[in-house]
């Protein structure tokens, strides 16, 4: 069934004379001088073209997009319709009427307001005429929620859905297909995904072919959702967000890092690759603030993941695209909203980074995330976003405002599950001087010699997990950035490092000698001096 059929069913069941779809306006039913909206959100031109694309030949659609008016006929289970589409004053307008119907013959419009969006089922006819489309939508939602519950029951972190494959779960970091489940078809998968989307997400998907949103099943969990198209058709990835907020003690976050939550101003960054648990760590830190302080916390996220109920603090959570236009706009606006603490879900662009640093300097505590793997590379990434003529000024500002960097990666645990290895950089005069002087390549050595202050290198964090029998040496080696150092530490401990010979043989064509690891970008001169 084409999506336009649902609106036409509403046209017939309401006894209207015409259905009008226009750019930047809601769908409307008209009868005589009366007009009633039947969608909550206005249509974009792309959404209207998408509706027409399902019911008219490509040649007609090409004429319309080229600026020519078109007329066409269309038939559904509810009858035959004639339509005219044209651009008027720069807006696309489509008018559909039942064949042979006149406005005088139309029954009065019903006054019940509709709450359906442009991708939802149009208003239902009377109970005597069942709506198969609504039954399909209900069945699709039931099946979608069944898969989401299955993900939670099996302790998976992600659910992958795509055409031609059965549902796929990521459990303990590994992809596993659900046994016995048939491959998904496009006709089955598309309604399953659309029934979860808000009007805004549906419109965004229609325009850009991908969208992010959050979905919640009461009593089960919240989910971060991404829907997109690939060469096989529509696809989606769902990540589970636990229904209960994780505490710093449950996360094993050190006391030195917890103290960052009691600062009155400064910048604290949680970094790591995608899927490394940054959001969960930030959630635990905000929860500590929420329990121990009496302040106003503003979070800016895309989408909202963990929901924080007000405890000792007042929590204002804003979602980009729903409650605000962008991270930078929300961050600038936050300064007029009496905040004490601001969480920025992602420092995506130059302007957002600049505002965050300025905000941290002017008496606010700012938490943020970046997709970097080490503390030194985090600082380099922040500075390198600015033009060369501003970098000296930013180094000075960052040296004064940066209070801590927690860079983490997830490792597979022995016996199942995953555990975080965290590199921790804390503000010291020596660190501030290195940032100000542009000598970030020396930061790893300062971290290594400052364990008494709570700082830890990534290699040391990985070694602690290996010594505690939580992680295999091979897994720790694979997650390390400075591989030569951790390999030498394994050998000193007398651990089995046969995997190093296998890796060297594969890299060097079977020569059997270890290939030196390339130094990370953040440590080029340090590596050269050694």
């Amino acid at each position: 069934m084409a999506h336009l059929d649902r609106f036409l069913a509403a046209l017939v069941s309401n006894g209207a004379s015409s259905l009008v779809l226009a750019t930047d306006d809601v769908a409307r039913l008209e009868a005589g001088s009366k007009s009633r909206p039947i969608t909550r959100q206005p249509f974009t031109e792309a959404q209207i073209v998408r509706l027409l694309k399902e019911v008219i030949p490509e040649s007609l659609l090409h004429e319309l997009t080229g600026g020519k008016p078109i007329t066409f006929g269309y038939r559904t289970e509810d009858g035959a319709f004639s339509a005219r589409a044209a651009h008027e004053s720069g807006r696309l307008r489509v008018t559909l009427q039942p064949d042979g119907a006149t406005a005088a013959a139309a029954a009065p419009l019903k006054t019940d307001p509709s709450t359906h969006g442009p991708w939802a089922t149009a208003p239902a006819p009377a109970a005597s005429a069942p709506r198969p489309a609504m039954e399909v939508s209900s069945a699709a939602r039931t099946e979608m929620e069944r898969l989401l519950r299955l993900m939670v029951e099996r302790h998976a972190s992600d659910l992958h859905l795509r055409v031609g494959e059965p549902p796929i779960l990521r459990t303990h970091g590994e992809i596993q297909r659900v046994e016995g489940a048939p491959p998904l078809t496009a006709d089955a998968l598309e309604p399953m995904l659309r029934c979860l989307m808000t009007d805004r997400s549906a419109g965004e998907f229609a325009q850009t072919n991908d969208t992010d949103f959050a979905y919640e099943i009461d009593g089960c969990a919240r989910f971060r959702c991404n829907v997109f198209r690939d060469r096989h058709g529509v696809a989606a990835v769902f990540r589970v967000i636990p229904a209960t907020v994780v505490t710093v003690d449950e996360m094993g976050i050190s006391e030195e890092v917890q103290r960052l939550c009691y600062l009155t101003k400064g910048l604290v960054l949680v970094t790591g690759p995608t899927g490394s648990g940054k959001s969960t760590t930030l959630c635990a830190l905000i929860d500590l603030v929420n329990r121990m302080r009496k302040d106003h916390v503003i979070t800016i996220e895309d989408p909202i993941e963990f929901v924080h109920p007000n405890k000792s603090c007042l929590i204002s959570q804003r979602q980009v695209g729903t409650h605000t236009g962008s991270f930078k706009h929300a961050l600038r606006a936050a300064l007029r909203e009496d905040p004490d603490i601001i969480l920025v879900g992602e420092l995506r662009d130059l302007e957002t980074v600049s505002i965050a640093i300025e905000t941290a300097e002017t008496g606010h505590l700012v938490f943020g995330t970046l997709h970097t793997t080490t503390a030194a590379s985090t600082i380099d990434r922040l500075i390198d976003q600015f033009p060369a003529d501003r970098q000296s000024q930013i180094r000075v500002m960052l040296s004064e405002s940066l209070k801590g960097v927690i860079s983490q990666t997830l490792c597979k645990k022995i016996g199942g599950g995953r555990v975080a290895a965290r590199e921790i950089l804390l503000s010291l005069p020596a660190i501030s001087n290195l940032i100000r002087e542009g000598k970030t390549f020396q930061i790893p050595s300062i971290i290594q010699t400052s364990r008494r202050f709570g700082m830890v290198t990534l290699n040391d964090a990985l070694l602690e997990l290996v010594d505690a029998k939580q992680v295999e040496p091979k897994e720790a080696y694979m997650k390390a950035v400075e591989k030569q150092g951790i390999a030498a530490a394994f050998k000193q401990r007398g651990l089995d490092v046969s995997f190093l010979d296998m890796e060297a043989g594969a890299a060097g064509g079977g020569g059997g000698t270890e290939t030196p690891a390339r130094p990370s970008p953040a440590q080029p001169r340090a590596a050269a001096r050694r």
Side-chain angles (χ1 to χ4, degrees):
M1 174 187 288
H3 291 92
L4 188 61
D5 294 11
R6 303 171 184 177
F7 294 99
L8 294 173
L11 167 64
V12 172
S13 65
N14 284 275
S17 59
S18 61
L19 165 70
V20 178
L21 306 175
T23 304
D24 298 328
D25 195 6
V26 295
R28 296 181 181 277
L29 297 180
E30 295 184 346
S33 61
K34 295 183 179 179
S35 173
R36 176 165 72 80
I38 60 169
T39 61
R40 182 185 299 170
Q41 298 293 328
F43 280 87
T44 64
E45 180 166 329
Q47 287 175 309
I48 298 174
V49 169
R50 184 178 176 82
L51 289 173
L52 295 178
K53 189 175 183 180
E54 295 181 331
V55 301
I56 65 175
E58 194 71 32
S59 57
L60 271 183
L61 190 65
H62 183 71
E63 288 183 23
L64 178 64
T65 54
K68 295 181 180 179
I70 62 169
T71 59
F72 61 94
Y74 181 60
R75 179 176 291 277
T76 74
E77 293 177 356
D78 295 287
F81 302 87
S82 59
R84 182 182 186 277
H87 285 88
E88 300 173 1
S89 302
R91 298 169 62 208
L92 177 60
R93 181 183 174 89
V94 181
T95 304
L96 300 104
Q97 296 177 318
D99 271 356
T102 64
L109 284 176
K110 298 177 183 178
T111 56
D112 294 337
S114 170
T115 58
H116 292 285
W119 258 4
T121 305
S128 59
R131 293 294 298 127
M134 294 189 71
E135 294 173 9
V136 170
S137 178
S138 176
R141 184 182 295 273
T142 299
E143 175 61 15
M144 192 66 249
E145 291 194 351
R146 184 188 70 80
L147 291 174
L148 294 174
R149 291 181 188 276
L150 177 67
M151 171 170 60
V152 174
E153 290 168 6
R154 296 196 179 182
H155 305 289
S157 61
D158 299 271
L159 168 67
H160 292 253
L161 301 178
R162 59 199 59 226
V163 175
E165 288 277 1
I168 299 170
L169 299 175
R170 182 181 290 276
T171 308
H172 307 321
E174 296 184 349
I175 291 291
Q176 299 174 348
R177 288 166 174 80
V178 176
E179 292 184 11
L184 295 163
T185 64
D187 289 342
L189 182 55
E190 198 150 335
M192 289 167 59
L193 300 177
R194 286 180 174 173
C195 72
L196 302 186
M197 293 186 192
T198 62
D199 292 343
R200 185 193 71 84
S201 296
E204 184 178 56
F205 183 70
Q207 287 184 305
T208 66
N209 283 330
D210 55 58
T211 185
D212 290 301
F213 58 96
Y215 185 74
E216 183 171 4
I217 300 177
D218 289 340
C220 179
R222 281 175 62 83
F223 304 89
R224 187 178 72 195
C225 320
N226 178 270
V227 180
F228 61 98
R229 290 189 185 276
D230 65 7
R231 63 190 181 92
H232 299 293
V234 68
V237 180
F238 298 84
R239 172 156 296 173
V240 65
I241 305 166
T244 56
V245 173
V246 186
T247 67
V248 288
D249 295 326
E250 291 169 337
M251 289 284 294
I253 295 174
S254 66
E255 289 185 11
E256 290 82 6
V257 173
Q258 292 183 36
R259 289 194 198 112
L260 296 173
C261 296
Y262 296 92
L263 296 172
T264 56
K265 67 175 183 178
L267 179 64
V268 177
L269 299 174
V270 180
T271 75
T274 301
S276 61
K278 299 186 295 294
S279 297
T280 308
T281 296
L282 270 177
C283 166
L285 295 176
I286 293 299
D287 176 66
L288 179 62
V289 169
N290 197 11
R291 288 185 285 113
M292 305 305 294
R293 297 180 61 162
K294 294 182 179 179
D295 291 311
H296 181 202
V297 181
I298 297 176
T299 75
I300 308 165
E301 305 170 71
D302 184 19
I304 292 172
E305 297 185 0
F306 292 93
V307 176
H308 294 275
N310 294 330
K311 296 178 182 177
S312 293
C313 287
L314 172 63
I315 309 286
S316 302
Q317 294 188 261
R318 306 188 71 193
Q319 180 167 312
V320 173
T322 301
H323 309 129
T324 182
S326 64
F327 280 104
K328 60 186 178 185
H329 181 272
L331 184 54
R332 193 177 294 281
L335 298 177
R336 300 186 294 274
E337 294 159 6
D338 187 32
D340 298 288
I341 299 164
I342 303 173
L343 183 150
V344 186
E346 193 173 336
L347 298 172
R348 288 184 175 175
D349 52 52
L350 171 63
E351 189 172 354
T352 306
V353 172
S354 179
I355 300 169
I357 294 173
E358 292 170 9
T359 304
E361 267 200 319
T362 56
H364 301 86
L365 180 58
V366 179
F367 290 92
T369 69
L370 279 173
H371 291 89
T372 49
T373 53
T374 66
S377 65
T378 298
I379 296 167
D380 288 334
R381 173 75 63 83
L382 287 174
I383 294 170
D384 289 345
Q385 289 198 51
F386 291 86
D389 60 345
R390 287 195 62 192
Q391 289 185 3
S392 295
Q393 175 196 4
I394 294 301
R395 283 194 193 97
V396 173
M397 294 174 66
L398 197 59
S399 69
E400 296 172 355
S401 61
L402 186 66
K403 301 302 180 183
V405 180
I406 302 101
S407 298
Q408 68 180 49
T409 186
L410 288 183
C411 303
K412 296 176 186 176
K413 287 180 70 174
I414 297 172
R418 291 191 288 178
V419 62
R422 298 186 182 92
E423 177 171 276
I424 299 170
L425 165 69
L426 301 173
S427 178
L428 289 177
I431 296 290
S432 298
N433 289 336
L434 293 179
I435 295 173
R436 190 180 299 109
E437 295 168 8
K439 298 179 180 179
T440 53
F441 62 89
Q442 294 182 10
I443 286 178
S445 61
I446 299 294
I447 297 175
Q448 199 161 26
T449 57
S450 303
R451 286 185 67 95
R452 65 188 183 278
F453 299 114
M455 291 203 254
V456 183
T457 64
L458 181 58
N459 272 13
D460 286 342
L462 291 166
L463 286 170
E464 287 176 7
L465 295 176
V466 171
D467 292 341
K469 307 296 184 186
Q470 289 186 283
V471 172
E472 293 283 1
K474 182 178 180 180
E475 174 69 6
Y477 179 81
M478 295 301 294
K479 294 301 174 74
V481 175
E482 206 279 282
K483 296 187 184 296
Q484 284 182 318
I486 201 167
F490 288 159
K491 292 175 182 177
Q492 287 177 357
R493 286 166 165 76
L495 298 174
D496 178 13
V497 290
S498 56
F499 61 86
L500 294 175
D501 295 329
M502 295 174 60
E503 182 180 273
T513 59
E514 185 178 342
T515 303
R518 220 170 78 185
S520 68
Q523 301 167 313
R525 282 179 280 179
R529 290 179 183 180
R530 285 199 297 269

